[in-house]
Amino acid sequence: MRAVSEGSTKTQILRAAAELFAAKGYDSVSIKEICDRSDANIAAVHYHFGSKEHLYQAIFQDFGKTHLPKLESILEEPKNADEFRVQMRIYLEQALHLIEDEPYVARIIFRDGHLVNQLCSEIFETTFLRLYEKLISFLTNAQSRGIISKKTDIATLAQMIDAILCAKVFEQKDLRATCAKKLKTKEMDTKAWIQSALSILFDGLIERKAHE
């Protein structure tokens, strides 16, 4: 039988822990469960991470430092409205790809953000909070250039963008498919969904002629 490398054992433990934390929450998961799911022993968990808390921290350390800088790099100051729309589209596309690639970590972040901040405060501040600050800065710069209305509260807008991503994290695909079939509505792929979300967010719901 092929020996399991040290690196792959560590990766298996991280993946199993993320899956269990996402399903049951931090307090309800034991080291034994993580070992059973990852086919590792308790000694391996302690060797690589030291404790359950440190294992939890390692999940977000890896996720934050590996993936979030890519999202940050998209949020450079926009020069005009067209550039702003393109950047927002790319930002949402990349964020949704990340959610699809790391669904368990994404679920933990959106559901247990307060706990992530509590147990991983330094990691949270240097990765997740830094990305949120970059988003706020990006939106503020767009507002100062007249791209976003002066009436718009930037913090609320940033929360709405987060809510768009959160909707995908906790999306009930089977229920959505059933509703679409019953109501005879068309299911959208990710690209069309993003375009629709951005249109609602930035073009509004009410036709201008009707409003006038």
Side-chain angles (χ1 to χ4, degrees):
M1 185 171 68
R2 183 172 61 88
V4 178
S5 71
E6 196 173 285
S8 63
T9 299
K10 185 176 181 180
T11 300
Q12 285 172 207
I13 294 170
L14 283 168
R15 287 177 179 167
E19 186 176 343
L20 287 166
F21 289 142
K24 303 176 65 175
Y26 177 80
D27 291 332
S28 298
V29 176
S30 67
I31 291 290
K32 183 179 183 305
E33 285 180 284
I34 295 170
C35 290
D36 291 343
R37 181 68 61 92
S38 62
D39 197 26
N41 55 47
I42 291 178
V45 174
H46 286 294
Y47 173 75
H48 289 293
F49 304 103
S51 66
K52 186 173 83 167
E53 183 175 330
H54 289 157
L55 170 54
Y56 191 77
Q57 292 169 350
I59 292 170
F60 300 104
Q61 176 87 16
D62 179 67
F63 180 88
K65 295 198 171 181
T66 301
H67 300 293
L68 299 192
K70 298 173 186 176
L71 292 177
E72 277 189 58
S73 67
I74 298 167
L75 300 175
E76 296 301 325
E77 184 174 346
K79 297 180 177 64
N80 52 55
D82 288 340
E83 188 173 292
F84 173 76
R85 282 179 177 272
V86 169
Q87 286 171 276
M88 281 306 310
R89 176 179 57 76
I90 295 172
Y91 177 81
L92 288 178
E93 285 176 350
Q94 292 301 312
L96 289 175
H97 285 320
L98 181 53
I99 288 168
E100 289 171 359
D101 290 342
E102 300 283 356
Y104 301 118
V105 180
R107 182 173 286 264
I108 298 168
I109 292 167
F110 279 98
R111 188 193 62 204
D112 302 330
H114 65 290
L115 185 61
V116 177
N117 185 22
Q118 179 183 332
L119 296 180
C120 319
S121 59
E122 185 177 345
I123 298 167
F124 184 85
E125 288 178 10
T126 57
T127 54
F128 301 103
L129 183 59
R130 179 175 168 176
L131 175 61
Y132 191 73
E133 288 173 341
K134 188 70 182 282
L135 177 61
I136 291 287
S137 177
F138 172 75
L139 297 172
T140 301
N141 287 330
Q143 189 175 56
S144 69
R145 287 179 174 269
I147 298 169
I148 296 175
S149 169
K150 297 293 184 185
K151 296 178 182 179
T152 301
D153 179 74
I154 295 301
T156 302
L157 177 56
Q159 289 170 3
M160 290 175 70
I161 292 168
D162 271 354
I164 289 172
L165 298 175
C166 186
K168 274 297 183 184
V169 171
F170 294 101
E171 181 180 37
Q172 298 182 48
K173 294 182 179 179
D174 292 340
L175 178 60
R176 185 192 67 184
T178 300
C179 291
K181 186 176 180 180
K182 292 283 186 183
L183 299 173
K184 297 181 180 179
T185 56
K186 183 180 178 181
E187 283 204 74
M188 292 186 288
D189 60 20
T190 299
K191 184 176 180 180
W193 190 88
I194 290 172
Q195 292 288 13
S196 179
L198 288 176
S199 177
I200 293 169
L201 195 60
F202 297 122
D203 297 330
L205 297 172
I206 301 173
E207 288 284 358
R208 291 184 180 180
K209 288 182 180 179
H211 182 66
E212 291 169 359

